Amino acid sequence: KRQIQQVGTPMELYLKPVNQFVASFIGSPQMNFATGTLMQRDDEYHFCSAAISLPLPKNLNSTLEKYSTKKIILGIRPENLLIEENTNTHYLFCEKIEVIERVGSDNYLNFTHQSKSMIARVPPKLEIKTNQQIDFYVDHNAIHIFDETTGLAIL
């Protein structure tokens, strides 16, 4: 059975997908996904998996509290997986680059995280080599979180 998932402009779907399905086909390369648990530590929530402990914005606590200790899915677009740390970013993980696709205006860094293929989109000026270990960062304002059971967007 076919069903309309979301109606909006391409930019609306890109920025605020209503579910994981919409998020997975809007954007190229496709959004990266990691499964984890929402855990509360002191006065903030964290997305936690075997390799990630990502603090989430405190202003979202009321939205997140009903998902505490539940399985969730973290979505990060390739252009939001950063390899340069700044004051707005948080460390995610370190992974070995398996393949580099040089497409002119961007380089796509392909790697495996928790048995899942992922891609980071970075500027071509960065000197990165295959088999290099890279630290990845993300601005928590550039992430998406989905309910693992329903696939619906939490934020």
Side-chain angles (χ1 to χ4, degrees):
K1 180 180 175 186
R2 294 182 183 159
Q3 183 178 0
I4 295 173
Q5 299 289 312
Q6 183 174 357
V7 176
T9 66
M11 189 55 72
E12 289 169 343
L13 275 63
Y14 178 82
L15 293 174
K16 299 289 273 177
V18 296
N19 59 34
Q20 187 181 358
F21 175 76
V22 172
S24 71
F25 76 82
I26 297 293
S28 180
Q30 148 177 340
M31 185 181 283
N32 299 294
F33 297 104
T35 302
T37 305
L38 186 66
M39 302 298 292
Q40 187 173 11
R41 295 190 184 146
D42 299 321
D43 63 341
E44 68 183 0
Y45 286 95
H46 288 245
F47 170 86
C48 297
S49 71
I52 301 172
S53 180
L54 178 65
L56 302 174
K58 289 181 185 179
N59 64 324
L60 299 173
N61 281 1
S62 61
T63 302
L64 297 171
E65 68 184 336
K66 66 183 169 190
Y67 296 95
S68 184
T69 70
K70 292 185 179 177
K71 290 280 187 190
I72 56 173
I73 297 170
L74 174 68
I76 306 171
R77 297 214 180 270
E79 59 272 22
N80 295 323
L81 269 175
L82 308 172
I83 61 174
E84 295 175 334
E85 185 177 20
N86 66 50
T87 57
N88 297 321
T89 61
H90 298 275
Y91 175 79
L92 271 181
F93 47 68
C94 181
E95 294 294 347
K96 180 176 74 170
I97 303 305
E98 298 163 351
V99 175
I100 301 173
E101 296 176 69
R102 301 180 194 286
V103 295
S105 62
D106 297 301
N107 284 345
Y108 297 155
L109 308 180
N110 295 264
F111 59 94
T112 302
H113 176 73
Q114 294 181 320
S115 303
K116 289 188 177 182
S117 295
M118 293 193 167
I119 298 176
R121 190 170 97 192
V122 300
K125 65 180 170 45
L126 301 173
E127 296 293 325
I128 298 170
K129 297 175 176 56
T130 303
N131 295 321
Q132 183 177 346
Q133 292 282 350
I134 299 289
D135 288 329
F136 288 97
Y137 301 86
V138 68
D139 179 340
H140 60 60
N141 292 309
I143 63 169
H144 299 268
I145 295 182
F146 304 94
D147 182 305
E148 185 193 43
T149 305
T150 65
L152 294 176
I154 298 169
L155 55 105

